[in-house]
Amino acid sequence: MPQLPEDIIDRLNQMERRLKALSTAVNTRPPLNEIRPDPNSVPARPVIRMYDGYVHEIFSDDIVTGGLARPWLALMPPKDTSTTRWPQTANGSFTTVARSFNPIWQPKMRISLSTAAGAGATGQVRVMVDDVQFGPTVTAGTTYDYTGLLPGDFKTRFSQTMKIEIQALASGGTVYAQPVLIYGTQS
């Protein structure tokens, strides 16, 4: 049978099928405005990572407990509770000498304090977070540097305000405590 030229209707039908196939292929691609779980990860949770032009991770989520992993957000250091003095005490029992309030964005916090004791004095310094001791008690004259999980359930406390207090006690003189570093960090 001789090959007959296709008529215009057949050609239009064929083009319509090709356009539908092309449209379907374009629309089955994953959207670029959604975050999808990594199918290779064990708990299959969404993971967010952003990198700068030098492949430095500049933003990421904390996939262990949720919240923010990077950047580490600076927290306001505790301030003197009395405007007439630098954080210090001569009291023989633990006394709050500095206090601040900060939002909870990350499950851990690092805080570092410089401590000192006046001539002939001895004493101790500790940090309290929401009235719970955070880290060790140190001897005045040594550096307090501690990183740890914040007290309480992070998931229910996320974005709430925490109270950070520096407490000191002294014997035979005055004990000083000055915050020098504080920030939240990932788990």
Side-chain angles (χ1 to χ4, degrees), residues 3-187:
Q3 189 171 8
L4 297 173
E6 294 179 298
D7 67 4
I8 192 75
I9 299 297
D10 290 337
R11 293 185 75 181
L12 284 173
N13 285 336
Q14 187 179 27
M15 270 203 299
E16 186 177 19
R17 282 191 302 274
R18 287 181 181 167
L19 281 172
K20 281 183 183 178
L22 183 59
S23 177
T24 300
V26 168
N27 290 328
T28 58
R29 182 179 142 178
L32 298 176
N33 62 349
E34 286 184 18
I35 299 167
R36 295 180 176 254
D38 178 358
N40 297 323
S41 70
V42 177
R45 295 186 181 141
V47 177
I48 301 170
R49 299 281 186 265
M50 291 177 67
Y51 299 88
D52 67 7
Y54 297 96
V55 196
H56 297 131
E57 186 177 88
I58 58 172
F59 182 87
S60 63
D61 63 337
D62 188 330
I63 62 171
V64 176
T65 56
L68 187 62
R70 280 192 180 82
W72 291 354
L73 300 176
L75 303 176
M76 187 171 90
K79 299 296 181 182
D80 190 347
T81 58
S82 170
T83 58
T84 61
R85 62 187 177 120
W86 190 74
Q88 60 183 284
T89 188
N91 198 329
S93 60
F94 277 109
T95 304
T96 298
V97 296
R99 178 182 299 124
S100 71
F101 296 89
N102 294 278
I104 299 170
W105 295 117
Q106 296 163 306
K108 280 186 167 182
M109 179 177 73
R110 178 180 180 201
I111 185 168
S112 183
L113 312 171
S114 294
T115 70
T122 60
Q124 297 179 324
V125 177
R126 69 182 183 186
V127 174
M128 305 294 283
V129 175
D130 293 328
D131 302 319
V132 175
Q133 187 165 342
F134 182 75
T137 299
V138 299
T139 302
T142 62
T143 300
Y144 176 100
D145 193 347
Y146 180 74
T147 303
L149 289 170
L150 294 170
D153 180 35
F154 172 72
K155 291 177 183 175
T156 59
R157 299 202 58 215
F158 182 77
S159 80
Q160 293 180 359
T161 302
M162 66 177 152
K163 175 178 67 174
I164 302 169
E165 293 181 309
I166 298 172
Q167 296 183 342
L169 66 81
S171 176
T174 305
V175 168
Y176 306 87
Q178 177 66 39
V180 293
L181 177 71
I182 183 171
Y183 59 83
T185 184
Q186 69 198 61
S187 52

